[in-house]
Amino acid sequence: MNFDFLGSVLVTGAKTVAAAGTAVQLAAPGAQPNCFQVTIIAQKAGRAANTGTVYLGLSGASNAQLFPLAPGAALTVSAPHQHQFDLSKIYVDATTSGDGVVFFGSSQANG
């Protein structure tokens, strides 16, 4: 879901890892505008707590997601000045099937 806010777009979403050990893209290619900042929170959609750790990375390859987030932990990533990044380039994996992340970010109104 996206909201226009003061010339920027607030980007929100959630991603569930259906099968532990199988990484999924944070967003499908083209589904969300590129963001200059995104916060990723280790929790299931609907405000439910994760059971295990989720992992973030830049590849969908097995065990390539090396940044751990414990249940409830958050990570904010900012792109370099005047750049934006594609949310589909971020991958999420989990130690427990059904765990996931919610995210919110900001983008320029023109994407």
Side-chain angles (χ1 to χ4, degrees):
M1 183 176 293
N2 302 330
F3 302 96
D4 190 353
F5 180 72
L6 300 175
S8 292
V9 175
L10 179 62
V11 177
T12 63
K15 180 56 74 172
T16 300
V17 177
T22 303
V24 294
Q25 289 174 296
L26 183 61
Q32 298 284 1
N34 291 342
C35 291
F36 54 84
Q37 185 175 50
V38 65
T39 298
I40 302 169
I41 305 165
Q43 96 182 20
K44 298 176 189 177
R47 302 181 190 170
N50 280 343
T51 302
T53 301
V54 296
Y55 293 86
L56 304 175
L58 299 177
S59 169
S62 180
N63 295 318
Q65 302 72 42
L66 302 176
F67 190 88
L69 285 178
L75 170 71
T76 298
V77 180
S78 299
H81 181 67
Q82 296 185 348
H83 294 287
Q84 297 187 63
F85 54 89
D86 183 347
L87 296 179
S88 71
K89 305 290 186 194
I90 300 172
Y91 287 80
V92 181
D93 199 356
T95 56
T96 305
S97 297
D99 279 354
V101 298
V102 295
F103 63 90
F104 61 94
S106 51
S107 175
Q108 293 177 347
N110 62 3

